[in-house]
Amino acid sequence: MVVVVAFASSAVVVAVASTQANGLPSFTNGYQKWPKLNRKPFTRCGPPCAHSGVKNVYASKRKVGKRYPNGAVIVKTIVRPGTKYVGQFAVMRKVKGRWRFVEYERASPTARYTVLGQGQLCTSCHVMAKSNDYVFTKR
């Protein structure tokens, strides 16, 4: 586990990120056992499509009414065309009523994941799924 702590000089800002050896956040541990939001792996996505390949989507918590509760984590695994391993790993985590987005990638099945994109880049697309709590995949 790696713990990163950052401090800003004028105001105290502490960011703690706990990661697994593979580079993914520890709060995604065990995602394979979470309920899957799609019935079977899918490849289709409408424009725009940031995640080309074979996808599966998992949720750590079920919706309460029309929204996911605080603490919910949604993971999308993507096997890119021409590969046989999860090369992209997109994560949504709901904190204080708002989603935080981070997408990771790796170049081989044994490589460590690194951040590909996050924040506004992801939000600008997910706003199109606002009526489904910003989650594209429906059960």
Side-chain angles (χ1 to χ4, degrees):
M1 171 175 34
V2 175
V3 178
V4 178
V5 180
F7 294 97
S9 59
S10 62
V12 177
V13 177
V14 179
V16 178
S18 177
T19 60
Q20 303 175 67
N22 65 3
L24 294 174
S26 59
F27 58 78
T28 62
N29 286 345
Y31 75 88
Q32 302 94 329
K33 296 178 183 171
W34 299 348
K36 196 185 295 187
L37 298 184
N38 53 296
R39 295 191 195 326
K40 59 183 182 175
F42 62 100
T43 57
R44 196 187 86 210
C45 64
C49 186
H51 312 126
S52 296
V54 177
K55 299 172 272 293
N56 281 296
V57 182
Y58 306 85
S60 67
K61 297 181 179 183
R62 295 195 182 274
K63 280 184 175 179
V64 176
K66 294 186 174 195
R67 303 264 179 239
Y68 286 91
N70 280 324
V73 177
I74 305 221
V75 166
K76 181 188 285 183
T77 60
I78 304 107
V79 177
R80 294 176 178 162
T83 68
K84 295 184 183 202
Y85 63 92
V86 175
Q88 279 181 286
F89 193 93
V91 179
M92 296 173 64
R93 183 179 187 199
K94 200 167 205 181
V95 178
K96 295 182 182 176
R98 300 183 66 108
W99 287 108
R100 295 185 181 177
F101 302 85
V102 183
E103 185 175 355
Y104 301 87
E105 70 174 346
R106 64 180 175 174
S108 75
T110 57
R112 190 174 157 82
Y113 284 97
T114 58
V115 174
L116 174 63
Q118 60 185 324
Q120 186 56 40
L121 175 67
C122 307
T123 305
S124 64
C125 188
H126 279 265
V127 73
M128 291 185 281
K130 184 178 181 178
S131 65
N132 194 41
D133 201 15
Y134 300 90
V135 179
F136 281 106
T137 306
K138 295 181 182 178
R139 198 155 186 58

